[in-house]
Amino acid sequence: MQAQLAHQLALASTGNIMITCAGAAVGLGALAFYFGALLSIVRSGLTGGMKLAWGAFALMAPYLGSLLWFLIGRRDAQRRPGIA
């Protein structure tokens, strides 16, 4: 009985470690996605005003703004280069 309890405790801590590692990986991926979007906005060929608008949107709504930038904004920036 004591061996079975020790086995269950070992499995429980292993499960907690796996959940923590998975959560950390998701969090790091989300941060990389966010900072990638900000870097992409800054390096895009859009005019200063459009960069400011996209950057402000990405800062106010980090995940939604980043997602919309990659889905809509980058494509629009590639079609319509900004004025230097």
Side-chain angles (χ1 to χ4, degrees):
M1 179 138 150
Q2 193 174 14
Q4 184 182 12
L5 181 60
H7 180 69
Q8 286 177 348
L9 287 174
L11 287 178
S13 69
T14 303
N16 289 338
I17 291 171
M18 294 295 287
I19 290 171
T20 302
C21 289
V26 168
L28 286 175
L31 280 175
F33 183 67
Y34 172 66
F35 285 118
L38 288 179
L39 184 63
S40 178
I41 290 168
V42 169
R43 297 179 70 192
S44 72
L46 294 174
T47 61
M50 285 304 294
K51 284 183 186 181
L52 181 64
W54 274 106
F57 185 59
L59 288 172
M60 286 192 267
Y63 305 112
L64 180 62
S66 299
L67 181 65
L68 288 177
W69 166 254
F70 283 120
L71 292 177
I72 299 169
R74 271 184 51 180
R75 216 173 328 154
D76 189 41
Q78 290 171 351
R79 269 188 303 197
R80 197 170 28 141
I83 300 169

